[in-house]
Amino acid sequence: MADDKDVLRDVWFGRIPTSFTLYQDEITEREADPYYLLLPRVSYLTLVTDKVKKHFQKVMKQEDMGEMWLEYEGTSLKWHYPIGLLFDLHASNTALPWNITVHFQNFPEKDLLHCTSNYVIEAHFMSCIKEADVLKHKGQVINEMQKKDHKQLWMGLQNDKFDQFWAINRKLMEYSVEEGGFRYIPFRIYQTTSDRPFIQKLFRPVTAEGQTHTLGDLLKEMFPTAVTSDDGEKKYQVVIHGIEPMLETPLQWLFNISATRTISSTSVSFPCQQT
Amino acid sequence: MPSSLLWAVDVYGRVYTLSTAGQNWELCKDAHLEFKRLTSVQQCCWGIAGDHQVYLYVHSSDVPIRYQEETYENQRWNPVDRFCEKLLPSDRWQWSDVTGLKHQPLDSFRLPSEHWEWEADWYVDENIDGEPTEKGGWTYAIDFPATYTKDKKWNSCVRRRRWIRYRRYKSRDSWAKISSQDDGPLPDPFSDISAGGWDITDEPRGHLSLWAVSLQGKMWYREGIHHHNPEGSMWTEVTTPGEVVQISCGPSDLVWAVLWEGQLLVREGISRENPKGSSWVVVDSPSTEVGAIHVAVGINVVWAVTKDRQVWFRRGVNSHNPCGTGWIGMVGEMVMLNVGLNDQVWGISCEDRAVYIRHGVTSSELSGKTWRAIAVARDDDRSRSGSANSLASAGCFFSGEVRVQSSVMNDAESSSETERSQAAQSTSPTHADAMKRRIPKVTSDSFISELVSDKERKPGRDGRDGQTPSIQEEGAPQEQAFADQETSVELLPQSSSQQGARDPKWSNVDLEEAQPPLPAAASDTTETSSLSSVATYNLGMEEQYGVDEHPLWAWVSGGGCAVDSHTHLNWFNASTGVSSSVQSMSLSITPAQTAAWRKQIFEQLSERSKREMENFKHYEQAIEQSVWVKKGNMQWWRDWKPNKWIDVRFALEQFSGTDGNRDGILFIYYTFNDEKKYLHAFINEITVLVPVLNDTKHTFAIYTPERTKQRWPIRLTAATEQEMHDWLALLNLSCCDSRGIHGPPCKQAIWSTTCKGDIYVCEPPPNLEAVPYPLPCDQMFWRQIGGHLRLVESNSVGIVWGIGYDHTAWVYTGGYGGGFSQGLGSSTDNIHTQTDVKSVYIYENQRWNPVTGYSSRGLPTDRYMWSDVSGLQECTKASTKPPSPQWTWVSDWCIDYNTSGGTDREGWQYAADFPATYHGYKTMKDFVRRRRWARKCKITTTGPWLEVPPIALWDLTVLPCSSQSSIEEVALWGISNKGDVLCRIGVTQQSPAGTSWLHVGTDQPFKSISIGGGYQVWAIARDGSTFYRGSVSAQNPAGDSWYHIPSPPRQKLKQVSVGRTSVYVVDENSNLWYRQGLTPSYPQGSSWEHISNNVRRVSVGPLDQVWIIADKVQGSHSLSCGTVCHRVGVQPMEPKGQSWDYGIGGGWEHITIRGNSQEAPRIVMPVPAENTLEKKGSVAEEGSEGGGRTASISSVLCIKEEELNGNAVSC
């Protein structure tokens, strides 16, 4: 029988086949071929697209190349969202591979943050980790870690090293059995149809009576329309890591197995999409 | 942690128990009596009931309490009648005890009390010193006081035989009255009672000290209480310097009592030999103005309450100074206190009569921190509120019973009466009055009556009942309290009946429940009309208060309640639902594993992977794989002589493929003669990683096949425990990854334990039992599974059980990891906390000299006066540490009287000189003596194990079968640590823990058991004799009778293992024997054949494969003890095999091969065969170098005088 451990691996080794096409208005010296990559779902776009940049460098003049930014069907892709989240949010119901358009001009200042180096990603990543740990353990675990442990987490993500990452991350995922879970579940709910970037509130994994909260409980509280609709028809799709868990799934468990998400956004994210 | 019970009595005398796993007070199962005092221990509870009689409540258990009665039939030979009962006038009685002095014919044996029953009739014992006798059981001798043999010789003039019969204690789970008639009339009834002293002697005997105080202030001691005689035999008076009002007895040698005048008495001279003690010492009351009224003692603590309800703690109490040094006043006002296990303190507060536990009591802080109230509901409270929850709970039946009683009474009152209840009702008030009046006024009781009166006044104030306030205004003091009660007895039932009628919920429940148990309730009323009438009154009383009103308690006893400062209890928050405890108790298959949502996530994830990745495998990976290195500093036990620890740099280089599978190399960089060098090992070659027992360093050993042959692992020491565990976790994971091993072990797995208690498991490759070229044993890969066990037994349908060093039984939950692995490579479900306790031993050595006799002044050449068993290491009480930093001490040093060879009364063993054999008595030639001291230590870890309470096990065996077998219920036999043979009922793949034990009667305690594939059960008794159990089958799981099998000549057997057909035994001199001549029609076989020596344990598998733990296995570098060995060449026609193949070790303690039922492929594939051949070649070479490897070993495993360094786990 499959074990929880296998789920961790499945989540970590999730890949999205992507084709990168240069934007038609970019000035090139010759025709640019599309570039194909398997992107790790748990990583960040700017962290894994060095190869893309190098590929298009071959056909472009240095002076025509500004900061690279990516766009999918008119939406600028925020690099500080995990890749899997971006895909689930914008492209989950389309045919694969995922067609991303590459831009080097006209950086959309109002939509995107600049990402000048990997340090920026690292800083963003670490702040997410810290934010999550504050919710989970009042930040005690992350603060007790040494600098090299922090580095190992980051290197694990950067180099796609499951064991390296999990050797440290497991400490962040510990909780006492007596309490039945974290202090609060670090999560964010992203929606396709909303102007708000995401919903984030304090939510405990267990009720005051010691009952475990389920995914359904969380949604009921955070986003009631996602679970209840008048005609009984499913209006929203709740997607985590490209799958739709049942609403009965206990939150703590869901979070344990999908915890790789901690690294990329603060938490489990629920892109809710209208069907 | 098995659950245990806290006992309490409420102010109405009703007895409740609270389980450490539970969340509500449950009314005692046998609830027809009212109690004043209780004293509980783990196996039973003693109490003084309202009638001032002593009662005993023994918990039911799967193992019966049996007592063996024996008598001897003696006969003398004469030429006319041959052997006959005509004895010489000078001879002993024809029926006598073993000495011949006491006349005891069969019919002189009587049951000691009404609580016993005979198990069967008398029968003849056909066993002498482990040897079967001829039919009839006669043993012969020249004359009467002589040695008896089983053989009749020419000069055998007398013979005798032993008759035995068992009686069984039957009054379990009920209050058994201890009749006093045998002891002669007691002068006056008892008023206080206290049990303890179970730690004075060792567990098997189960001695208990029971002290009682009578109303006149005399003190009594109950003689002869032990496991086989729970009631004890008689009361003896203990003289005291004054009138005693209360007494408390601790688990070991503390006994304190309170005098009428307020001073305290301390008993001195309590020892193993004299549990009653010898003299009294008076200690003054803590306060100069007010005397003490109550005392409670534990192992090292004394608490007292003075008459002004102040609580006091006694400083400096221990077994050397039972009096302590001084009093410390504590916060809180209590009416009584009780000290339970682990010196935990329970009390009843003066203010609200709630039960409190002292929070934060640890061995270093015995006085604890604060009082914490236990806030849980009573089960009858719940049922009254009509919650469906409590109806479904286990306590429901009993609460139901109570309700029925009340309904009968209520009906009676509300004039829809039956004859019976009318009768009961008419008697009730008078009886109740009579009872209450009889209660004498003793301080100890006064607060109960006080309480009752308190309680009644309250509702009066509500103005519900006009009459009570008027009584109250009379200012009823002590005496008036009783009058108070009388009036309310008449009043209250009425009001309750009205309430009952008003409340529809009530009548509903009654209608449902009343029908079936009515006869029971009715018989209660007729038998003990006075008591049940009291119950009416009680219930009536309670009706008046809301459910929110907490119960008022009068007495609490925690002597059987196993709680310590770390125990998690659900007692303090009444609102917490029952669900949490239910969740944590779930066995074998947790809801998380079966839940639909879990399955759905698994499916969706693999679907996702398929959808998103399958057609795009040719795409480039965004992140290139690279090498990852982890480095650290360690110490290494260098390979060359002189061996010592040297500082090295340690690095693990890993490289992984795109599929996530990895490989790696381990480097150890060291300096040799100023030259930098390194040693390396491929991760995929490592066969096992073992933590090494070392009390100062954090050491582990790494084995490869080559290192196994050498018996010389790579030994490394990390700077801290944390660092070692980090490395071990990482290395373990890397090793498993490189071999593609994930998840829980398969059902065919081979389990083993080391002498450190670590558990290892090996996935057996299919060619493990291949003939003629099996996989060499040293190439087997072992991975660690969390937990701490002494032995593990399994079978091929996945039933795995283990036994800890403290004899606790554990069942495998299906998880993996835990403990060392810290979540890396660990399953998230099925990992639980596990504890184990073992003893550390040191020896005190003395030499005799003419001046001072034995003294601790030895000769200069002598061993240390405090040493280990060998005498080579100095081990003093102060310097001896627990085996590793994971262990903590949980007891003090105490003398061990169970050393082999026997001891004298002070624990000494004597010998002529030091390295010699010791005996338990002094002779003229003995110049030295020694005694063994033991101290218990405890480990707390985690692993995929759940405890199977409550019976402690010595050995166990699981039916070996093929993995496809469709057996529903798997036979599992065990031996309790008292030697009872047990058969587990209800063991299936779905519930591997089974449901209960079935006791299988034996005439003596047993120590080893094994069941074969065809339900052949073989067992070995503690005296070394072997037995075969007849007629065991799936339909008849316990079989019918034992057949005594003669042992190999002059050998006492130790352990047995039965495979499909083969039977192997190991004797106490480490010889391995094979049973010949086994046939289906004659399953007992004919004779023993010697196979090998130096064998510690044997495990025979479902294919009759034979694996052993061997001692003294020679490798090329060193020798190892506790080595896993595999018998090669075992075939159906050659069940004894040909030679041994050596695997992992030393330091291994136990192995079970009984899960591996995969037949080796019949035709050996050419390629592997070549490989194995090659391997064999190199082995042969090694063997000629090292000597001993290939020597065709049928008996002697080569022993050489060489450094014994191979037992890496260091036993």
Side-chain angles (χ1 to χ4, degrees), chain B residues 131-367:
Chain B
E131 296 261 324
T133 63
E134 296 287 308
K135 208 98 190 105
W138 291 105
T139 57
Y140 299 86
I142 299 167
D143 200 357
F144 268 122
T147 22
Y148 297 85
T149 59
K150 62 174 186 151
D151 302 313
K152 184 160 86 175
K153 302 201 188 79
W154 63 271
N155 59 357
S156 300
C157 291
V158 297
R159 66 176 187 179
R160 70 171 187 187
R161 59 179 172 180
R162 183 166 170 254
W163 288 81
I164 48 184
R165 187 181 194 184
Y166 286 94
R167 57 182 158 89
R168 190 188 281 253
Y169 187 78
K170 63 177 181 185
S171 298
R172 290 181 149 200
D173 271 357
S174 67
W175 289 106
K177 188 170 168 180
I178 302 298
S179 53
S180 50
Q181 62 225 23
D182 304 347
D183 321 325
L186 286 167
D188 52 349
F190 288 132
S191 67
D192 189 34
I193 195 164
S194 181
W198 58 85
D199 273 354
I200 299 177
T201 60
D202 308 300
E203 160 70 14
R205 183 156 163 77
H207 160 87
L208 202 64
S209 295
L210 183 71
W211 298 79
V213 172
S214 70
L215 285 176
Q216 288 175 14
K218 288 189 179 145
M219 189 181 289
W220 301 82
Y221 178 85
R222 184 78 180 172
E223 304 272 3
I225 306 177
H226 54 84
H227 276 310
H228 300 296
N229 190 18
E231 302 164 286
S233 48
M234 60 186 286
W235 293 104
T236 4
E237 191 174 342
V238 178
T239 52
T240 53
E243 276 186 43
V244 178
V245 289
Q246 192 253 329
I247 189 162
S248 177
C249 173
S252 55
D253 51 7
L254 275 187
V255 173
W256 282 53
V258 182
L259 289 178
W260 182 261
E261 289 83 12
Q263 301 101 315
L264 294 136
L265 283 181
V266 183
R267 191 69 175 169
E268 287 196 320
I270 292 177
S271 69
R272 178 186 154 88
E273 301 301 326
N274 184 15
K276 267 197 290 186
S278 48
S279 58
W280 293 106
V281 174
V282 177
V283 168
D284 280 334
S285 163
S287 154
T288 44
E289 296 96 55
V290 274
I293 189 179
H294 188 96
V295 69
V297 304
I299 302 164
N300 284 315
V301 297
V302 174
W303 292 72
V305 180
T306 45
K307 284 178 181 147
D308 55 0
R309 306 302 186 205
Q310 290 301 316
V311 175
W312 302 83
F313 176 79
R314 186 78 176 169
R315 247 186 313 134
V317 177
N318 56 47
S319 54
H320 310 296
N321 181 16
C323 294
T325 50
W327 293 104
I328 305 171
M330 306 299 280
V331 179
E333 297 196 340
M334 296 281 165
V335 288
M336 64 86 59
L337 292 171
N338 184 269
V339 180
L341 297 177
N342 306 316
D343 283 342
Q344 300 295 310
V345 185
W346 314 86
I348 292 173
S349 154
C350 213
E351 194 182 334
D352 56 359
R353 313 286 163 169
V355 175
Y356 281 75
I357 179 173
R358 186 77 182 168
H359 180 64
V361 175
T362 61
S363 55
S364 53
E365 194 175 356
L366 288 165
S367 56

Side-chain angles (χ1 to χ4, degrees), chain B residues 667-706:
Chain B
F667 291 95
I668 295 165
Y669 299 96
Y670 60 95
T671 326
F672 180 64
N673 290 340
D674 295 330
E675 204 181 322
K676 285 192 173 161
K677 290 193 161 190
Y678 73 89
L679 183 87
H680 72 276
F682 290 100
I683 285 291
N684 63 11
E685 278 187 344
I686 291 175
T687 53
V688 69
L689 297 152
V690 209
V692 178
L693 207 56
N694 190 323
D695 61 358
T696 49
K697 284 179 180 303
H698 310 282
T699 308
F700 63 97
I702 299 172
Y703 281 90
T704 61
E706 197 195 341

Side-chain angles (χ1 to χ4, degrees), chain B residues 38 62 78 116 200 214 275 421 627 736 802 833 928 1112 1124:
Chain B
L38 288 180
D62 293 338
N78 71 55
W116 292 85
I200 299 177
S214 70
S421 51
V627 175
C736 289
T833 304
V928 298
K1112 295 170 187 164
V1124 171

Side-chain angles (χ1 to χ4, degrees), chain B residues 939-965:
Chain B
I939 191 171
T940 304
T941 178
T942 57
W945 307 96
L946 265 184
E947 182 166 356
V948 188
I951 292 169
L953 292 188
W954 188 272
D955 193 22
L956 70 91
T957 180
V958 193
L959 180 81
C961 48
S962 83
S963 49
Q964 288 84 36
S965 81

Side-chain angles (χ1 to χ4, degrees), chain B residues 506-752:
Chain B
W506 248 114
S507 47
N508 262 346
V509 176
D510 285 345
L511 282 172
E512 275 169 26
E513 295 277 315
Q515 242 10 63
L518 192 61
S523 69
D524 266 358
T525 47
T526 45
E527 268 171 35
T528 55
S529 59
S530 69
L531 291 165
S532 62
S533 71
V534 171
T536 330
Y537 151 71
N538 286 338
L539 282 157
M541 281 294 296
E542 239 186 297
E543 278 309 298
Q544 291 221 319
Y545 313 103
V547 183
D548 299 334
E549 189 81 29
H550 73 267
L552 303 183
W553 298 104
W555 199 260
V556 62
S557 177
C561 188
V563 166
D564 62 30
S565 51
H566 307 297
T567 314
H568 174 67
L569 297 167
N570 295 318
W571 291 354
F572 307 107
N573 183 5
S575 66
T576 313
V578 193
S579 57
S580 64
S581 63
V582 171
Q583 258 179 9
S584 63
M585 286 306 290
S586 60
L587 260 184
S588 69
I589 296 180
T590 62
Q593 271 183 314
T594 49
W597 47 261
R598 188 175 189 270
K599 223 175 118 196
Q600 194 242 15
I601 285 178
F602 279 64
E603 285 168 6
Q604 285 203 2
L605 267 176
S606 62
E607 226 174 80
R608 183 197 81 176
S609 304
K610 210 173 152 191
R611 182 177 71 231
E612 294 178 356
M613 282 145 75
E614 203 176 55
N615 295 324
F616 304 97
K617 285 218 170 111
H618 55 285
Y619 277 28
E620 209 176 322
Q621 289 285 344
I623 300 170
E624 292 294 337
Q625 293 301 316
S626 55
V627 175
W628 174 46
V629 183
K630 184 174 163 76
K631 289 178 186 162
N633 289 316
M634 292 224 208
Q635 285 191 312
W636 173 52
W637 186 250
R638 68 182 193 188
D639 277 345
W640 62 91
K641 287 189 174 172
N643 298 112
K644 63 173 188 184
W645 292 105
I646 56 169
D647 290 331
V648 293
R649 276 192 308 118
F650 186 76
L652 170 66
E653 277 190 33
Q654 296 190 93
F655 20 90
S656 39
T658 48
D659 52 353
N661 276 350
R662 300 173 315 178
D663 210 343
I665 310 178
L666 207 63
F667 291 95
I668 295 165
Y669 299 96
Y670 60 95
T671 326
F672 180 64
N673 290 340
D674 295 330
E675 204 181 322
K676 285 192 173 161
K677 290 193 161 190
Y678 73 89
L679 183 87
H680 72 276
F682 290 100
I683 285 291
N684 63 11
E685 278 187 344
I686 291 175
T687 53
V688 69
L689 297 152
V690 209
V692 178
L693 207 56
N694 190 323
D695 61 358
T696 49
K697 284 179 180 303
H698 310 282
T699 308
F700 63 97
I702 299 172
Y703 281 90
T704 61
E706 197 195 341
R707 293 270 169 182
T708 305
K709 283 187 199 93
Q710 294 171 347
R711 306 276 150 217
W712 188 268
I714 301 169
R715 259 163 286 199
L716 293 160
T717 292
T720 64
E721 192 180 356
Q722 186 56 44
E723 212 172 295
M724 178 177 92
H725 283 140
D726 282 350
W727 273 109
L728 273 180
L730 182 67
L731 288 172
N732 259 307
L733 192 71
S734 306
C735 289
C736 289
D737 272 356
S738 74
R739 289 169 188 264
I741 295 172
H742 298 294
C746 69
K747 290 173 178 174
Q748 308 278 329
I750 303 168
W751 294 75
S752 65

Side-chain angles (χ1 to χ4, degrees), chain B residues 940-1048:
Chain B
T940 304
T941 178
T942 57
W945 307 96
L946 265 184
E947 182 166 356
V948 188
I951 292 169
L953 292 188
W954 188 272
D955 193 22
L956 70 91
T957 180
V958 193
L959 180 81
C961 48
S962 83
S963 49
Q964 288 84 36
S965 81
S966 57
I967 303 173
E968 260 187 21
E969 195 166 327
V970 178
L972 189 152
W973 289 59
I975 289 176
S976 80
N977 68 334
K978 296 192 184 75
D980 301 295
V981 177
L982 305 164
C983 176
R984 190 75 177 171
I985 306 298
V987 178
T988 62
Q989 289 192 53
Q990 286 72 37
S991 74
T995 50
S996 62
W997 291 107
L998 188 67
H999 180 257
V1000 178
T1002 59
D1003 293 339
Q1004 53 192 317
F1006 275 52
K1007 63 180 175 188
S1008 174
I1009 194 156
S1010 187
I1011 184 169
Y1015 290 91
Q1016 322 93 294
V1017 174
W1018 288 68
I1020 294 176
R1022 293 229 173 128
D1023 67 1
S1025 49
T1026 314
F1027 289 88
Y1028 172 80
R1029 183 81 182 170
S1031 309
V1032 181
S1033 66
Q1035 292 73 37
N1036 183 16
D1040 56 9
S1041 56
W1042 292 106
Y1043 297 94
H1044 194 153
I1045 311 283
S1047 299

